[in-house]
Amino acid sequence: MSLYTCLVEITLPFHLEENVGGWDADGKGPCVWDTFTHQGGERVFKNQTGDVACGSYTLWEEDLKCIKQLGLTHYRFSLSWSRLLPDGTTGFINQKGIDYYNKIIDDLLKNGVTPIVTLYHFDLPQALEDQGGWLSEAIIESFDKYAQFCFSTFGDRVKQWITINEANVLSVMSYDLVWLEPADPNSVSDQEAAKRAITFHLDLFAKPIFIDGDYPEVVKSQIASMSQKQGYPSSRLPEFTEEEKKMIKGTADFFAVQYYTTRLIKYQENKKGELGILQDAEIEFFPDPSWKNVDWIYVVPWGVRKLLKYIKDTYNNPVIYITENGFPQSDPAPLDDTQRWEYFRQTFQELFKAIQLDKVNLQVYCAWSLLDNFEWNQGYSSRFGLFHVDFEDPARPRVPYTSAKEYAKIIRNNGLEAHL
């Protein structure tokens, strides 16, 4: 039978702020990615930088046209810490940065689009990195003051906030909160390894906030055991005080998760006591060779349903926002991106099953991303946008892919016609 999904909201995220261009315009201070890309040495594909990227700093009106063309209800974008506070502190506030974001927020609201704003998306002010960055306890006060500044400046209009994008990527450099399936479903060691993998990649961050303010027991025991093997006098994992546990517990209004792909997991004993999250968890992950892929993203639509059900069952059925989901094209990318649209279509079918059959409380879905853009060390070689951007043209024209046209239909119908 033919049914329509009932996604409560259909949304689309903004590109990363450090990739909108204008990297040193109007008083913006340098961030760590400005420094990284300017050092050369093939750290990034063809030594490309995000200095101009898709040019959104000067082409916001064009972006707004794309948003309206799609019919978006929500729009997720990131603030640049160093555009607002060039040295990372409130000692110097950049008014032009405030004006830039005020215009975006006001324009969205005028057009009936709800802004979802991320405070931090990997672009730490270089001035703070020079003082130790996220490895220094001083960052706590710096981030708190930055967050309070943003709330007081934009909070009269922005009601939905995300603190740190992909905290696991920031801290352990994995790609995303993937679903992790045992390589051999009949192997007890692989089953246990898959459980540990999810615990280390997801529960490590979610359990303190949504359950009891503390890390999972398996994480604490594994790291303590490895620390002993490595000759440390105590576990490398810090312990929360009872006061900290009470402060952490219950500090989220929704569960934000990003899904791109799935990996298989098997047990891998850490005989040599090597450092690393995979070594602590004693796991190895890899794709099934039969899965289709572009770069690191393998097409495994059923993974997102399993992930959502796991979150529902483990964390007392929280409100869930999928804050990123997408599939790249290699450059040059055809405008008729049928392979990518098939990835989206299959994913939406799984979301439908999660909502209707598993009763998952999914309320927001964000596709990544509005425009082709500078994608970290892949530069412009990997295209995630629903709109094509010609990076050779100074005008950076935006042209819709087939995905954009199909996605707009989903928004109009608030769902995807699917056959179960």
Side-chain angles (χ1 to χ4, degrees):
M1 65 181 169
S2 183
L3 297 170
Y4 282 92
T5 59
C6 297
L7 300 181
V8 177
E9 303 288 357
I10 303 290
T11 72
L12 194 78
F14 195 31
H15 32 260
L16 313 187
E17 160 58 29
E18 68 271 21
N19 297 342
V20 306
W23 78 275
D24 63 349
D26 294 334
K28 178 185 175 293
C31 74
V32 290
W33 266 86
D34 295 325
T35 302
F36 182 82
T37 59
H38 292 167
Q39 288 175 339
E42 295 294 334
R43 295 175 175 222
V44 177
F45 180 77
K46 292 186 176 179
N47 282 324
Q48 294 168 341
T49 74
D51 290 1
V52 178
C54 55
S56 287
Y57 186 68
T58 56
L59 296 172
W60 162 245
E61 299 289 349
E62 297 304 309
D63 291 358
L64 186 59
K65 291 178 184 177
C66 296
I67 292 169
K68 294 166 69 174
Q69 185 174 338
L70 290 172
L72 301 186
T73 63
H74 289 61
Y75 189 58
R76 174 181 168 235
F77 68 94
S78 306
L79 300 176
S80 168
W81 191 338
S82 61
R83 190 178 298 285
L84 292 165
L85 310 177
D87 66 358
T89 76
T90 53
F92 172 57
I93 297 171
N94 183 18
Q95 184 59 46
K96 289 187 177 180
I98 296 175
D99 295 342
Y100 172 66
Y101 292 120
N102 274 335
K103 178 168 178 54
I104 291 176
I105 294 167
D106 292 343
D107 284 351
L108 290 173
L109 293 173
K110 286 176 185 176
N111 286 277
V113 181
T114 300
I116 301 176
V117 178
T118 301
L119 289 171
Y120 180 76
H121 205 146
F122 304 161
D123 58 338
L124 188 69
Q126 185 61 47
L128 295 183
E129 177 66 19
D130 293 341
Q131 298 170 23
W134 290 103
L135 296 179
S136 168
E137 287 194 11
I139 198 69
I140 299 172
E141 183 178 359
S142 297
F143 183 76
D144 179 62
K145 289 183 177 180
Y146 164 60
Q148 293 299 333
F149 166 78
C150 293
F151 297 153
S152 63
T153 305
F154 308 115
D156 59 324
R157 290 151 293 152
V158 176
K159 304 303 178 183
Q160 293 178 303
W161 295 87
I162 295 171
T163 48
I164 297 175
N165 179 76
E166 290 182 336
N168 65 329
V169 175
L170 176 64
S171 55
V172 302
M173 290 306 293
S174 58
Y175 275 114
D176 60 303
L177 298 174
V178 298
W179 178 249
L180 300 162
E181 189 81 359
D184 182 354
N186 298 314
S187 166
V188 174
S189 63
D190 282 3
Q191 291 177 19
E192 292 301 316
K195 291 178 183 178
R196 286 198 306 278
I198 288 293
T199 301
F200 270 79
H201 281 80
L202 190 148
D203 299 334
L204 173 62
F205 303 93
K207 179 176 174 286
I209 294 172
F210 288 91
I211 302 295
D212 59 7
D214 199 8
Y215 294 125
E217 288 301 320
V218 69
V219 171
K220 293 194 289 186
S221 62
Q222 283 284 135
I223 295 179
S225 175
M226 290 301 149
S227 298
Q228 186 177 25
K229 285 185 180 180
Q230 293 154 354
Y232 288 89
S234 60
S235 176
R236 290 181 283 105
L237 184 68
E239 293 184 11
F240 292 123
T241 65
E242 291 304 314
E243 182 180 358
E244 287 172 334
K245 291 177 186 178
K246 292 178 182 177
M247 180 177 66
I248 294 168
K249 180 182 176 181
T251 51
D253 298 309
F254 56 88
F255 196 117
V257 63
Q258 303 189 171
Y259 175 83
Y260 287 94
T261 193
T262 288
R263 292 289 190 273
L264 298 178
I265 292 291
K266 70 177 182 180
Y267 171 65
Q268 181 65 54
E269 183 181 1
N270 185 9
K271 294 180 180 180
K272 298 180 180 179
E274 296 176 345
L275 290 170
I277 189 169
L278 300 182
Q279 291 77 11
D280 279 338
E282 295 190 300
I283 59 174
E284 177 184 353
F285 61 84
F286 52 93
D288 186 314
S290 69
W291 294 342
K292 296 179 180 179
N293 74 293
V294 171
D295 198 17
W296 58 275
I297 298 183
Y298 289 78
V299 181
V300 194
W302 51 260
V304 71
R305 181 183 177 189
K306 286 197 171 188
L307 177 60
L308 293 175
K309 190 173 187 306
Y310 178 85
I311 293 171
K312 176 202 170 187
D313 294 344
T314 306
Y315 296 104
N316 194 30
N317 197 21
V319 171
I320 299 175
Y321 287 14
I322 293 180
T323 47
E324 283 184 27
N325 172 245
F327 193 74
Q329 292 196 99
S330 298
D331 192 39
L335 290 177
D336 186 16
D337 57 340
T338 52
Q339 180 186 15
R340 181 165 54 168
W341 176 245
E342 182 62 18
Y343 169 93
F344 277 117
R345 189 188 66 79
Q346 292 180 25
T347 299
F348 292 146
Q349 287 181 328
E350 295 301 318
L351 297 181
F352 169 70
K353 295 173 187 176
I355 294 168
Q356 295 295 319
L357 303 180
D358 303 332
K359 307 303 180 184
V360 169
N361 194 6
L362 176 62
Q363 293 194 11
V364 169
Y365 170 84
C366 301
W368 182 264
S369 60
L370 182 65
L371 309 173
D372 287 336
N373 208 0
F374 180 82
E375 290 289 340
W376 307 116
N377 60 358
Q378 294 172 318
Y380 303 107
S381 65
S382 185
R383 293 174 174 265
F384 279 86
L386 294 183
F387 285 80
H388 177 275
V389 177
D390 184 351
F391 296 108
E392 300 301 318
D393 187 334
R396 298 295 196 270
R398 285 92 159 99
V399 180
Y401 288 106
T402 295
S403 300
K405 299 172 184 177
E406 296 296 330
Y407 193 76
K409 292 178 185 177
I410 292 177
I411 296 172
R412 286 197 300 271
N413 296 327
N414 194 32
L416 171 75
E417 191 175 64
H419 298 276
L420 294 183

